[in-house]
Amino acid sequence: MIQISGVSKIYKIGDVETVALDNVSFEIKAGEFVAVMGPSGSGKSTLMHILGALDRPTSGKYILDGEEVENLGDDELAEIRNKKIGFIFQSFNLLPRTSAVKNVTIPMMYAGVDRDKRFGTAVKYLKMVGLEDRMEHTPAQLSGGQQQRVAIARSLVMDPAIILADEPTGNIASVQAEEIMAIFRKLNDEGRTIIMITHEADIAEHAKRIIHIRDGRIRI
Ligand SMILES: Nc1ncnc2c1ncn2[C@@H]1O[C@H](COP(=O)(O)OP(=O)(O)OP(=O)(O)O)[C@@H](O)[C@H]1O
Ligand SMILES: [Mg+2]
């Protein structure tokens, strides 16, 4: 499903070069649940951006579901992101002053799904994450764990094969974090590939495999 080989990412600001990823190679098969662990600044978010085709490597090769990402144009990448990958971020990235149900419909608006279907699908996934009684609440009216569950529902509406989560429980109390992990395990049991960045060992334990990263390099 995911193959990266010899991937490096060098950020250049003025004369200062930062090697965020240094010759990284690994493979993730369909249906895996992988945690990526490493200290702050080790390159985890950089890796997530490359895996999610939000950014391109400076060098190296990335094959996503059989397609070499380097050969794809920006429009094709945007389409792949919307259809194949569900993104979940530490800070939820929900639209403020917008109801939970409306937030969840947004990827379907981009994809041109018609209105009735958008609403029905949003309700289905809000039910799945246990928020059927919070559909009209705005993010400010929800707890952190509930906001993250809205974000998870939003990540699922296009039925992605891959879920990419960057510190999904970083802003959430531990009881609610366990609820989020229960949802992730269920999604993985359904066959979805999950890649989750975390620096918390008890969260990483929910994954079936852990990739350790340090100073932009993979460590066994
Ligand atoms: N857009 C950018 N421009 C320049 N340097 C960057 C950029 N993004 C990240 N970096 C640098 O690349 C390195 C890796 O950053 P990255 O955000 O991937 O770390 P991380 O492992 O996600 O850290 P954290 O756990 O704190 O989120 C850091 O040294 C960072 O300062
Ligand atoms: Mg990060």
Side-chain angles (χ1 to χ4, degrees):
M1 171 113 313
I2 279 173
Q3 286 168 277
I4 69 171
S5 45
V7 162
S8 295
K9 178 73 187 182
I10 300 167
Y11 292 111
K12 208 170 170 186
I13 298 179
D15 288 338
V16 181
E17 281 194 353
T18 305
V19 182
L21 292 176
D22 186 6
N23 197 17
V24 169
S25 304
F26 58 77
E27 189 177 338
I28 295 175
K29 296 201 166 68
E32 279 202 84
F33 183 174
V34 176
V36 177
M37 288 196 83
S40 183
S42 58
K44 303 183 298 295
S45 294
T46 302
L47 179 62
M48 155 117 168
H49 285 127
I50 287 174
L51 293 179
L54 294 162
D55 200 357
R56 294 172 190 268
T58 309
S59 57
K61 196 158 141 179
Y62 175 24
I63 298 174
L64 169 60
D65 205 8
E67 300 215 65
E68 195 170 337
V69 166
E70 193 183 332
N71 299 335
L72 301 172
D74 289 345
D75 289 349
E76 287 168 305
L77 282 185
E79 193 178 327
I80 285 175
R81 280 199 299 272
N82 199 31
K83 292 204 174 131
K84 286 195 182 160
I85 305 174
F87 290 94
I88 298 164
F89 300 95
Q90 177 173 1
S91 51
F92 321 133
N93 290 12
L94 299 173
L95 291 182
R97 294 183 295 281
T98 304
S99 67
V101 69
K102 194 99 198 273
N103 263 290
V104 174
T105 60
I106 285 167
M108 296 182 277
M109 289 175 67
Y110 286 124
V113 175
D114 66 57
R115 206 186 174 83
D116 292 347
K117 184 156 186 239
R118 288 202 304 254
F119 184 77
T121 305
V123 170
K124 172 177 141 190
Y125 284 105
L126 279 168
K127 278 189 182 152
M128 199 220 108
V129 299
L131 287 178
E132 59 273 34
D133 57 350
R134 294 286 188 281
M135 298 216 293
E136 294 304 326
H137 285 55
T138 63
Q141 296 164 341
L142 295 167
S143 73
Q146 289 169 340
Q147 289 181 63
Q148 193 60 298
R149 284 190 272 152
V150 173
I152 293 171
R154 179 185 57 187
S155 79
L156 294 172
V157 293
M158 298 302 294
D159 197 20
I162 303 170
I163 303 220
L164 275 181
D166 192 352
E167 297 273 2
T169 60
N171 286 331
I172 292 172
S174 56
V175 178
Q176 298 208 326
E178 287 300 316
E179 289 171 14
I180 302 283
M181 286 305 103
I183 294 170
F184 274 32
R185 284 203 309 273
K186 179 166 182 258
L187 293 171
N188 182 240
D189 289 343
E190 289 171 7
R192 291 182 218 264
T193 308
I194 301 186
I195 305 166
M196 170 178 78
I197 289 170
T198 183
H199 60 260
E200 296 169 85
D202 55 335
I203 292 298
E205 270 172 19
H206 291 275
K208 293 176 183 158
R209 172 157 75 107
I210 301 180
I211 293 175
H212 293 275
I213 183 169
R214 195 180 190 99
D215 295 332
R217 293 187 194 167
I218 302 297
R219 292 156 45 104
I220 315 295

